[in-house]
Amino acid sequence: MTSIDKRTKANAIRALSMDAVQKAKSGHPGAPMGMADIAEVLWSDFLKHNPLNPTWSDRDRFVLSNGHGSMLIYSLLHLTGYDLSIEDIKQFRQLHSKTPGHPEYGYAPGVETTTGPLGQGIANAVGMAIAERTLGAQFNRPEFSVVDHHTYVFLGDGCLMEGISHEACSLAGTLGLGKLIAIYDDNGISIDGEVEGWFADNTPGRFESYGWHVISDIDGHDSNAIHAALESAKQVSDKPTLICCKTTIGFGSPNKGGKESSHGAPLGAEEIELTRATLDWHYGPFEVPGEIYDAWDARDHGKKVEFQWQEMFEKYRADHPELAAEYERRMSSTLSEEWHKRNHEKISQIAEKQETIVSRKASQNALQEFGPLLPELIGGSADLAGSNLTIWSGSKGIQEYPDGNYIYYGVREFAMAAINNGVTLHGGFKTYCSTFLMFSEYARNALRMSALMKVPTIYVFTHDSVGLGEDGPTHQPVEQTATLRLIPGMSVWRPCDAVESAVAWQQAIESKDQPFSLIFSRQNLQHQTRNRDQLDCISKGGYVLKDCDGHPELILIATGSEVELAMAAAEKLPHRGIRVVSMPSTDRFEAQDEDFRQSVLPVSVNKRVVVEAGVSGGWGKYVGFDGAVVGIDTFGESAPAKEVFEHLGMTVDNVVLTISNLLAD
């Protein structure tokens, strides 16, 4: 068989990338063409993977953080033998294709995470590296390295300009994530042109200050130099590595190479023909000769590498049967039998205590009860553990204990959320992270990415309303709960007491394909008495907490701390037929069948009032034209919580007045 040189293999990436972008009439050919030589060396000489089994647990993880260059990863997956055909490549950026405009998790096999919002890919990669190291510490034994792989990430100028890259890479250096290797595509070009006018950072110096191992000034088109840099990176076990590669964007294009014109638009038919000639690529669009496919094909080697791992794992199973079974359970994202046996019992025990406590403490109590049933649980807080109450008695910081289960994130809300997504995507863990509800704003795009990818990351948001008090409007959320509910696929829970808090945690833990935002209070929440049927209905998102005799005149809906306001208001109007509905999760309630929803909110009752200490927008579909919302449509004030609530009308008397006025109409 004729030997195919590395440049020819790389040119296959360039050709497929420019052809696919041209056919789609949109896309980003520049980055794939510029990084093709780097990708060829990494995927041919270093990457441990099996195209025949993309979910093999001990594969290396590859993340394309500069996700606009998606044709790079699609070309690599196609050429190396993944289930991504040339027809899939031709459908680049088309409806329902496996090759969307940016890499999307769950579409093409081998895509480890959805990237495109710049900077989040490197943060996801940090999470994957944390997961690899922690899982290895928990499961590896002498002579058995069942978890032993690297996380490789490509990133560009845009990723490094985004603030999240500072947050994530700073933490990665602090943690000394030695199996994280990032390759920086230093091409000096972004959409607006040459970046030196707006990005003149000393990037190597920046990463050295983080505690990274930095390899500078590598020619990104010199395969030998790239190979040597990767070899050097793998020798460093106590620091993550950044390899800075100088490349030419749109490499091979005689008129657009090195220019912003190759960044985000097709090269054009004429320029593509010139590029083919320049690259000595004498094949038609989407044509790759068989010998080049053969040179790229990684299936036999991947199968062999995985088989060797499987042989080792069977010996591991013989020596450590319980560990092996636990590893397989966790990597399959299956909850233990112990969880299924005891979680309902734990909730019943919490209900029996009838505690009136702040729901952030109720959240911690739920963690305390559930944590021992969940060896896969790992979490953290953005420098607010003492306020968020995210540490339980079994928590061990990974900074001190390699096999731990708690991450001290520091003040890094955005990176925290994106890193947690990476830990979840890696597998083997059930993740949670926490900050004040107000600062969900800093993490917002990572929350959206959780929902977009259907990744079951758990977000714990405390200090949920103007009840925060003296810290004032900068820290008092009013619109945040409502806007979280607007994220498609995000399950949002605002429990009214310790029992609903425990159920919210239970539902989040059992989620396989949906992120959860759990929203907890700073102030005490009164215990609500329930019968068994009501307790069972909490998981349905909304249920009748207090009913009246006969058909109700008015339905009072409330969430969180305002449920006790609703209950007290109903008590003040005993002569009126008022039903009180607690609705900890609107999305879960709306997912129930019509019969259940009608049993709670019958359409025949058009007098309805919603009470929630947040913006009123979003509740119109529940109250209609004949109802009212007692909410907060202004920013808060700095004062003790009771005074703020009174000032903004979140009182029993105001709820009673609203009900009375509505019933008088």
Side-chain angles (χ1 to χ4, degrees), residues 251-506:
F251 181 91
S253 172
N255 297 303
K256 297 186 177 183
K259 299 177 182 177
E260 65 270 20
S261 55
S262 69
H263 174 87
L267 296 181
E270 183 177 341
E271 185 67 14
I272 284 177
E273 288 308 309
L274 293 173
T275 304
R276 290 186 195 283
T278 300
L279 296 175
D280 198 24
W281 186 265
H282 304 295
Y283 313 104
F286 301 103
E287 181 184 351
V288 178
E291 61 268 23
I292 296 178
Y293 272 123
D294 290 343
W296 267 110
D297 194 338
R299 288 173 292 188
D300 285 345
H301 180 70
K303 187 164 72 170
K304 178 181 177 182
V305 172
E306 182 181 353
F307 180 75
Q308 291 171 344
W309 180 87
Q310 289 286 1
E311 283 189 315
M312 179 267 293
F313 190 80
E314 290 309 314
K315 294 176 183 176
Y316 175 77
R317 188 195 306 279
D319 285 7
H320 306 283
E322 292 182 0
L323 274 177
E326 178 70 359
Y327 177 80
E328 290 177 322
R329 178 190 72 79
R330 286 176 54 174
M331 294 309 295
S332 68
S333 301
T334 303
L335 291 168
S336 68
E337 291 183 12
E338 185 74 1
W339 167 265
H340 291 298
K341 286 179 183 177
R342 300 193 60 196
N343 74 83
H344 291 285
E345 167 198 327
K346 297 287 187 181
I347 291 172
S348 295
Q349 290 171 352
I350 290 170
E352 288 169 6
K353 291 180 181 179
Q354 301 187 13
E355 290 183 301
T356 293
I357 55 175
V358 298
S359 61
R360 59 177 170 145
K361 179 62 178 176
S363 167
Q364 185 182 45
N365 290 348
L367 269 175
Q368 186 63 45
E369 294 296 328
F370 293 149
L373 309 179
L374 298 165
E376 60 264 55
L377 192 66
I378 188 169
S381 174
D383 200 45
L384 287 169
S387 294
N388 299 147
L389 302 182
T390 47
I391 292 178
W392 58 286
S393 64
S395 294
K396 297 192 303 181
I398 65 168
Q399 287 87 336
E400 185 177 357
Y401 301 96
D403 63 344
N405 59 2
Y406 196 83
I407 305 168
Y408 291 91
Y409 278 107
V411 187
R412 298 180 176 96
E413 292 89 356
F414 192 4
M416 172 183 70
I419 288 169
N420 260 39
N421 284 341
V423 175
T424 304
L425 287 162
H426 177 278
F429 292 99
K430 173 64 70 171
T431 69
Y432 68 94
C433 59
S434 185
T435 186
F436 287 177
L437 177 58
M438 185 68 246
F439 303 126
S440 64
E441 298 289 350
Y442 284 153
R444 176 72 55 166
N445 201 256
L447 272 65
R448 184 178 188 271
M449 295 296 281
S450 299
L452 181 64
M453 292 189 285
K454 300 180 180 178
V455 170
T457 300
I458 302 171
Y459 298 99
V460 180
F461 297 123
T462 68
H463 298 65
D464 71 339
S465 71
V466 294
L468 182 64
E470 294 87 345
D471 280 340
T474 61
H475 284 54
Q476 293 170 0
V478 289
E479 75 272 29
Q480 281 64 38
T481 299
T483 56
L484 287 172
R485 290 180 180 132
L486 293 175
I487 301 175
M490 175 67 73
S491 191
V492 181
W493 291 69
R494 187 169 183 253
C496 77
D497 66 358
V499 181
E500 285 191 0
S501 297
V503 173
W505 264 107
Q506 175 205 44

